[in-house]
Structures are given as structure tokens and as C-alpha cells.
Amino acid sequence: MSNEQNIESVLILGAGPAGLSAALYAARGELNPLVLTGMQPGGQAALTFTIENYPGFPEGVGGTELGDLFQKQAERFGARVEFDSAVSVDFSAQPFRVKTYNGEILAKSIIIATGASSVHLNVPGETELTGRGVSYCATCDGWFFKDREVIVVGGGDSALEEAIFLTRYATKVTIVHRRDELRAGAILQNRARENAKIHFIWDSVVKEIRGEDKVTSVLVENVKTGEQSDVLTDGVFVFIGHTPNNEMYKGQLEFDERGYLRVDSHMQTSVEGVFACGEAADGDYKQVVISAGMGATAAIAATRYLEKLEG
Ligand SMILES: Cc1cc2nc3c(=O)[nH]c(=O)nc-3n(C[C@H](O)[C@H](O)[C@H](O)COP(=O)(O)OP(=O)(O)OC[C@H]3O[C@@H](n4cnc5c(N)ncnc54)[C@H](O)[C@@H]3O)c2cc1C
């Protein structure tokens, strides 16, 4: 009996829009790709209730539903999707090696699509009260705040989208934003401003989240006057940005100054045969459609790389 370990042609790390689009293209290239989902199948897109700006869905599409559709389409052509996470990588020689919770996988090419995670406020009370009123996902937790009051921290697209979504449940949604204007797009800004349930606290930051076994208030500080106030609330939803999940690649791949993986126009990283796509390598655009496009590019480039490698 041979004890030679199987070598995958393409191993895709991550099952968000980038990873699953890469899987679709690699599968249609007959590379039989293996996809590791990590802890969040569907990726960040699955955290939002509706996506209204992914082409092909004129009425919008549910975030979880879109992830399921991406996965089904990739599986139809032979992609294998496994619920497992990469814990360390070795890109120093062919075949590349990836340790996972379930073992070790060898692969001739790797597509990194491990995306990004929510930035935390890092204030007292946040960690202790996470799951007890502090949340980073309105779709997951909004329902718990039916007929209650919540605070949303942030001023970008995600913050406004989620604040509007939360008005389905909450009686009052107060957006705390550190500036006096929003970063979000015009359509969202208008929708939020016109929503009678949404209120704003401008030029302010959350300094502390308070409560014994559940959130009861937040300490808010005005950044211009220094004035502090205790604002009563039942929940705090934090949408202040994302940080790429790139720790694992330190010392193996090149990064840009903001911590994103450096790639060329073919999504090739600093190691030939290792590609990166989506929010792991995109600090600027952070959209489903863009991550999906980067994923497709990475898979086509991986196909060409393998043709060259295998002669
Ligand atoms: C609340 C919210 C609302 C949004 N709304 C919109 C919107 O309306 N329209 C829009 O275009 N975009 C929206 N976005 C942004 C969009 O979701 C992201 O740009 C997109 O999901 C990024 O795709 P990705 O595949 O690069 O990464 P992600 O979606 O972050 O997926 C990363 C994947 O990698 C996996 N992973 C992580 N670590 C590991 C590991 N060690 N091993 C294996 N797998 C791992 C994760 O489990 C996940 O499957 C929203 C984001 C949020 C948070």
C-alpha cells in the first residue's frame, strides 16, 4: 500500500464571494478544487440581510442565499467544499503545505480568499458583553432587539445598511459617528436620514460599554468638546471597518503597508503559484462583485500556472 500523500491541484482558503467564485472557475477548468470554508461559509456577505448591488438580482438577494447559490454553482462543476480552517501555511517549496484542524493538505497551487473580520472598538466592556448586547452582525442578532433601543457605531455603508435593517425590530436606532458627516453612499444616507427611527450622535466616540450581565448603556464622548454622557441602550452594533485575516501569511508573502497581501493584476502574490483575491488583497473596494471578480481572475491564473508547471 502506498503512503504517498494526495496532492491537490488547487486548494482554496475561504468560502466567501472570492473563494467560491475562484472555486467555480477552477472547477469549470476541471481542476477539482478543494475549498476550506473557515468558520463563516458564505463569508461576510452572509452576515447581511440583503445585497442590493450584486448584478443579476434586480430585487436584491439575501446575503446567506447568495453564498448558498455561489456554493451550489461551484459544486455543480465538481468543487469540493469542506468545513475546515487553515491554521498554518508553508509556501517555501512545491508542493505547498497547509495545516488545518483536520490534518495537512498538500497542493500545487493555492488561492487565498480568507477575507476580513470586523474591527472591534477595544473599549472596556466590549469583550465581556459580546453576545450580551454587543454584536457585529445585525442579520444574526437584530431579532433579539425587537421593541428595544440600540446604538450603531460607524458611518460607512455597512453601518448605515445595518442601522436601516435594525429599524425592522428596534424602536430607536442611534448612530454614533466620530465625524460630523457620513462616509456612506448618497442613497443610503438619504434612506437613513429619512427614517424616523434613526437618530444621530455626531462627532462622538464610544468610550465604554456598560452593564452587568447585559448592555444597559454606553459612555459616549464628544471628540470636539470632550463632554461625556451616559446613553441608555439595550444593544451596541459595531460597524467600524474590517481588518484582513492575513496573520497566517506573515513571513511567507509580501504585504502592503496596510496589511493586505500584495498581488499583481493576475492575483499572483510574491510566491509563484500562490494567488490571493477578495478582501485579503483589496483594501479599497470591499464589495461582493469585486471580490468575485478577483476570485475568477485568481482561478484562471492558477489554471495557467498549473499548465506551465505540468508542462
Ligand atoms: C454587514 C456587512 C454588509 C455588507 N453589505 C454589502 C453589500 O450590500 N454589497 C456588497 O457588495 N458588499 C457588502 N459587504 C462587503 C462584502 O460582504 C465583502 O466585500 C465580501 O464578502 C468579501 O469577500 P471575500 O470572499 O473576499 O471575503 P469574506 O467574505 O470575508 O470571506 C472570507 C472567507 O474566508 C474564510 N476564512 C477565514 N479564515 C480562514 C482560514 N484560516 N481558513 C479557511 N477559511 C478561512 C471565512 O470563513 C470566509 O468563508 C458587506 C459586509 C458586511 C460585513
Side-chain angles (χ1 to χ4, degrees):
M1 199 173 82
S2 160
N3 59 1
E4 238 175 66
Q5 196 176 339
N6 176 47
I7 301 177
E8 300 289 343
S9 291
V10 186
L11 174 62
I12 299 171
L13 307 181
L20 292 172
S21 301
L24 170 63
Y25 274 73
R28 284 177 58 83
E30 306 214 305
L31 295 174
N32 191 27
L34 176 63
V35 184
L36 304 187
T37 63
M39 301 307 285
Q40 179 67 68
Q44 293 171 71
L47 297 177
T48 193
F49 184 72
T50 323
I51 294 183
E52 292 189 330
N53 53 7
Y54 190 74
F57 297 91
E59 305 303 324
V61 56
T64 313
E65 189 190 349
L66 185 61
D68 288 346
L69 290 171
F70 276 169
Q71 181 168 334
K72 273 199 193 109
Q73 196 173 355
E75 284 175 335
R76 184 178 148 219
F77 295 102
R80 293 162 296 144
V81 180
E82 285 183 10
F83 188 75
D84 194 4
S85 292
V87 289
S88 69
V89 297
D90 179 358
F91 299 149
S92 60
Q94 270 288 356
F96 304 123
R97 290 170 181 271
V98 174
K99 287 217 167 77
T100 76
Y101 286 125
N102 292 337
E104 187 181 48
I105 301 170
L106 309 188
K108 291 180 200 161
S109 72
I110 306 271
I111 297 178
I112 293 171
T114 38
S117 302
S118 304
V119 172
H120 291 195
L121 289 166
N122 287 324
V123 297
E126 184 180 22
T127 308
E128 299 84 326
L129 293 166
T130 293
R132 296 162 178 235
V134 176
S135 172
Y136 305 88
C137 177
T139 318
C140 321
D141 300 328
W143 188 86
F144 296 111
F145 296 89
K146 198 162 166 41
D147 300 328
R148 290 169 188 263
E149 296 188 3
V150 298
I151 278 180
V152 165
V153 189
D157 283 336
S158 295
L160 261 62
E161 263 170 28
E162 303 311 299
I164 294 165
F165 173 71
L166 285 164
T167 61
R168 288 167 180 247
Y169 306 105
T171 49
K172 181 177 175 188
V173 177
T174 305
I175 297 177
V176 177
H177 185 42
R178 67 192 153 126
R179 293 194 237 283
D180 59 3
E181 57 185 327
L182 299 162
R183 270 184 297 114
I187 294 178
L188 280 173
Q189 287 207 30
N190 290 340
R191 271 195 216 156
R193 287 179 202 274
E194 283 164 10
N195 191 314
K197 285 185 172 179
I198 295 184
H199 302 256
F200 293 90
I201 301 180
W202 300 106
D203 293 318
S204 297
V205 292
V206 169
K207 300 293 282 184
E208 186 180 340
I209 301 172
R210 294 172 165 168
E212 282 301 315
D213 53 2
K214 63 182 174 68
V215 170
T216 50
S217 69
V218 293
L219 180 67
V220 172
E221 183 178 281
N222 184 299
V223 292
K224 289 192 173 151
T225 63
E227 194 185 321
Q228 294 193 331
S229 49
D230 191 52
V231 181
L232 295 181
T233 189
D234 301 300
V236 183
F237 285 82
V238 181
F239 304 107
I240 53 169
H242 292 90
T243 182
N245 299 319
N246 286 341
E247 264 310 294
M248 199 167 36
Y249 317 116
K250 283 204 173 132
Q252 308 249 354
L253 300 175
E254 276 177 24
F255 289 77
D256 71 11
E257 46 299 326
R258 293 178 297 168
Y260 293 89
L261 292 170
R262 228 184 255 292
V263 289
D264 66 12
S265 59
H266 308 285
M267 305 300 129
Q268 166 79 62
T269 66
S270 50
V271 171
E272 207 187 355
V274 178
F275 302 84
C277 49
E279 286 199 21
D282 164 27
D284 292 315
Y285 300 111
K286 304 183 177 191
Q287 293 292 297
V288 173
V289 67
I290 290 168
S291 295
M294 290 172 83
T297 307
I300 296 171
T303 311
R304 292 180 184 162
Y305 166 77
L306 289 166
E307 279 166 6
K308 204 173 78 181
L309 186 77
E310 287 155 4

